[in-house]
Each structure stands twice: as structure tokens, then as C-alpha cells.
Amino acid sequence: MSNIFLTAIEKIWNFIRLVIQGDGVSSRFFRRHLFVTCFVLLACVLMIAMRFDCLTSDNTIENLKTQIEVMQTEKQRQRSLYMTMTREMAMMHLVDSLQLGLTVPDKHPEVIKRAVDEP
């Protein structure tokens, strides 16, 4: 029984030694399977290239989505500013047509604080 066990260990060790030393696959193997080896190598390179292209495309899409969100926010802000200016101009036109003599002040109204009376 121990003799069978030793021969199995020797076979495993011989196989590991062949793989480590590079004797397991000889140049004759590559000559015989040149087309298949080149095809597998080319397929691996193409898969890596496709994966890289897919990841860079996904990154570009995410950047463009972010830019769209920023531009939509800016567009809404500009639209709001335009509508405010339009309303102010319409009100000024109405005030001018009625000759009320009212104007829009340049600065915001000041807040007057009431002084506390001391007893």
C-alpha cells in the first residue's frame, strides 16, 4: 500500500516539476497548434480591448449625464431670471403709463431696529 502511495506522490511531483521547469509544454506543441494558439491569444486581446472600450464609454456617459443635469439647472436659473426681469419691465411699463412716478430702488430696503428704552 505504501509503495502505491509513493508512486502516486512521485507522479504528482514529476508533473509539478514539469510545469515549473516549463517542460510540460514544448515548442513542438506550439508548432502543432499554431492557429489555435494565435486564435486564443487574439480572442483574449480583443475581449480585453472590448471591456476597456465599454468601461470608457460608461464613464463618458456618466460624465455627460452629470453635465446635462448641471446645464438643466443653469437653464432653469436663467429662465427664472428672465421671467423676473420680464415681470419687472411689465410693471414698470404699467407704472409709467399711469404716470404714478414710482421707481424701483437700486438697493434693498433697510431694516430699522427699534431702540430699547431704558427706565
Side-chain angles (χ1 to χ4, degrees), residues 5-119:
F5 184 68
L6 286 176
T7 56
I9 291 177
E10 286 176 1
K11 285 182 181 180
I12 293 172
W13 175 249
N14 286 338
F15 177 74
I16 292 173
R17 186 182 53 79
L18 283 174
V19 171
I20 291 173
Q21 291 178 351
D23 294 336
V25 181
S26 65
S27 61
R28 186 177 47 187
F29 171 81
F30 289 108
R31 273 187 269 136
R32 264 189 285 156
H33 300 95
L34 180 66
F35 178 73
V36 175
T37 305
C38 290
F39 180 75
V40 168
L41 216 63
L42 184 64
C44 289
V45 169
L46 287 176
M47 284 181 9
I48 291 170
M50 286 173 44
R51 179 70 179 152
F52 177 77
D53 188 42
C54 181
L55 288 176
T56 55
S57 297
D58 287 345
N59 192 15
T60 303
I61 289 170
E62 289 301 319
N63 288 338
L64 290 174
K65 282 182 180 179
T66 304
Q67 285 181 0
I68 286 172
E69 290 175 7
V70 168
M71 295 311 271
Q72 284 177 343
T73 304
E74 180 64 22
K75 177 182 160 186
Q76 183 63 33
R77 191 181 71 76
Q78 291 293 331
R79 179 181 288 151
S80 176
L81 183 62
Y82 171 75
M83 294 304 288
T84 301
M85 295 297 288
T86 304
R87 282 191 297 273
E88 282 183 15
M89 292 300 290
M91 285 189 284
M92 286 304 298
H93 181 67
L94 180 63
V95 167
D96 290 343
S97 68
L98 295 174
Q99 298 175 351
L100 296 175
L102 299 174
T103 59
V104 177
D106 292 335
K107 61 180 185 175
H108 293 290
E110 294 180 18
V111 177
I112 301 173
K113 295 184 181 179
R114 194 170 116 187
V116 179
D117 296 331
E118 293 185 27

